Amino acid sequence: MSRRPLAIFALEGSRPFGERIAAHLATALAPHEERDFEDGEHKARPLQAVRGCDTYVVHSLHGDDAQSANDKLCRLLFFCGALRDSGAADVTAVIPYLCYARKDRRTKANDPITSRYVASLFEAMGVGRVITVEVHNVAAFENAFRCPTWHVECAPILAAHFAPLLRGGSVVAVSPDAGGAKRAQRFREELQSLTGQDVGSAFMEKSRSAGVVSGQVLAGDVRGATAIIVDDLISTGGTLVRAARACRAAGAGRVFAAAAHGLFMEGARELMTDSSFSGIVVANTVPSFRLARESVGQIVVVDATRAVANAIAACHEAS
């Protein structure tokens, strides 16, 4: 058991998520101050002593109407640096949604590997550990960071939502591309464990060039089954719509979309109105602030905070 005092902070924009984490750990968020200056600069500082503490900073790095992903990244880095300068024994960045995680390899000449650059920034600020939820590519995430990392999978959370709804019927876990097959497989394993029944698997052919997605072939049998398309995030939803239509054309009885992060960027309205879907499920790593009021009721949001709290507890016990 750790002898270091525990201090959990949540920066503005991520406070509701942080409060739920703290509640699971039977504690309260530590106080801090954030100030914005007229020229766009800012500062943040802890309002309690952190010397010798095992500190955790919760901040989801999605852009919103108030701050871009870059703004939030900068604020998180600076606050972590302030904790280290104030004598914190260890600083862990808890990032429900990690920005730039999708750019983890070169696909064209001279491409940046932005995920690795972001990792270097955290290391430069003295961050000792990073906890995040459902990254695009787990191996690339783990290789980008030289400090310890903890990856929280959403497969158990999503499977726990679907299991009571699907017992007794034929179910297939579908990956919208070959690259996400392991994620769909983890969901499939969790769902099989919870329901005690076989769950099939399928995946879509997909290629992307200059932002244009193509590929229409569905590999796997979904006829008469409930198809659950599993992905790490929903941006415009185009990939999911393409996969859902292919599942319907192949005879699926119902089609659901399930993802960790609901970004719901411009263009996601087609996802909300497409009759191929029987439902859409996301975790609460990103607030559904971009959805029109009439669309919110079509989305089921599951809670990832207990899983993140469990990761913090395990890290703290080991510190």
Side-chain angles (χ1 to χ4, degrees):
M1 182 174 180
S2 176
R3 295 182 180 179
R4 296 174 179 172
L6 173 67
I8 303 175
F9 298 87
L11 298 185
E12 294 303 323
S14 296
R15 189 169 184 85
F17 197 92
E19 287 174 340
R20 293 183 68 89
I21 289 173
H24 290 308
L25 297 172
T27 188
L29 291 178
H32 76 285
E33 176 195 31
E34 293 183 54
R35 287 184 59 193
D36 294 324
F37 300 105
E38 292 82 359
D39 62 352
E41 295 179 4
H42 50 79
K43 81 165 188 178
R45 66 186 179 105
L47 292 177
Q48 71 172 50
V50 294
R51 184 167 299 278
C53 289
D54 187 22
T55 60
Y56 296 79
V57 188
V58 180
H59 205 27
S60 197
L61 301 180
H62 59 276
D64 57 29
D65 294 338
Q67 298 172 12
S68 69
N70 295 335
D71 292 331
K72 292 185 176 183
L73 174 61
C74 191
R75 289 168 187 259
L76 176 56
L77 290 168
F78 288 177
F79 190 74
C80 289
L83 291 175
R84 179 61 77 185
D85 288 347
S86 299
D90 203 0
V91 179
T92 298
V94 181
I95 311 170
Y97 174 72
L98 177 61
C99 62
Y100 294 109
R102 284 180 283 178
K103 192 53 184 171
D104 55 21
R105 64 190 179 93
R106 293 189 179 93
T107 54
K108 296 186 182 301
N110 304 317
D111 261 0
I113 306 178
T114 320
S115 60
R116 181 161 55 83
Y117 310 155
V118 169
S120 297
L121 292 172
F122 280 104
E123 291 158 8
M125 288 296 102
V127 171
R129 187 188 298 107
V130 171
I131 298 173
T132 193
V133 178
E134 201 62 53
V135 294
H136 184 64
N137 183 318
V138 178
F141 162 68
E142 293 174 342
N143 289 332
F145 285 85
R146 289 177 292 181
C147 67
T149 58
W150 190 297
H151 180 251
V152 177
E153 290 185 333
C154 264
I157 303 167
L158 295 170
H161 168 77
F162 281 104
L165 309 176
L166 301 175
R167 283 191 176 93
S170 176
V171 184
V172 178
V174 182
S175 175
D177 53 52
K182 287 186 178 180
R183 179 179 298 106
Q185 175 64 18
R186 284 288 300 118
F187 172 80
R188 175 175 173 261
E189 292 168 353
E190 290 288 340
L191 195 57
Q192 284 186 156
S193 176
L194 291 173
T195 61
Q197 66 187 60
D198 289 337
V199 176
S201 63
F203 70 89
M204 283 289 299
E205 171 201 18
K206 175 183 172 183
S207 60
R208 185 190 298 271
S209 181
V212 178
V213 175
S214 59
Q216 301 296 326
V217 177
L218 174 67
D221 184 11
V222 298
R223 184 170 300 278
T226 295
I228 305 174
I229 307 169
V230 184
D231 211 349
D232 58 324
L233 61 85
I234 299 174
S235 181
T236 63
T239 295
L240 291 174
V241 169
R242 180 180 59 89
R245 290 174 179 173
C247 288
R248 286 290 194 183
R254 294 187 297 172
V255 179
F256 292 89
H261 313 295
L263 297 178
F264 299 114
M265 304 303 296
E266 185 177 355
R269 182 173 296 276
E270 182 182 5
L271 176 73
M272 304 298 150
T273 58
D274 194 287
S275 60
S276 301
F277 291 101
S278 302
I280 300 168
V281 181
V282 296
N284 59 342
T285 57
V286 177
S288 302
F289 62 93
R290 290 194 180 96
L291 294 177
R293 183 174 300 177
E294 62 271 16
S295 299
V296 174
Q298 303 173 32
I299 307 295
V300 174
V301 179
V302 295
D303 188 10
T305 58
R306 182 175 292 279
V308 176
N310 290 342
I312 291 175
C315 292
H316 180 56
E317 288 293 317
S319 66

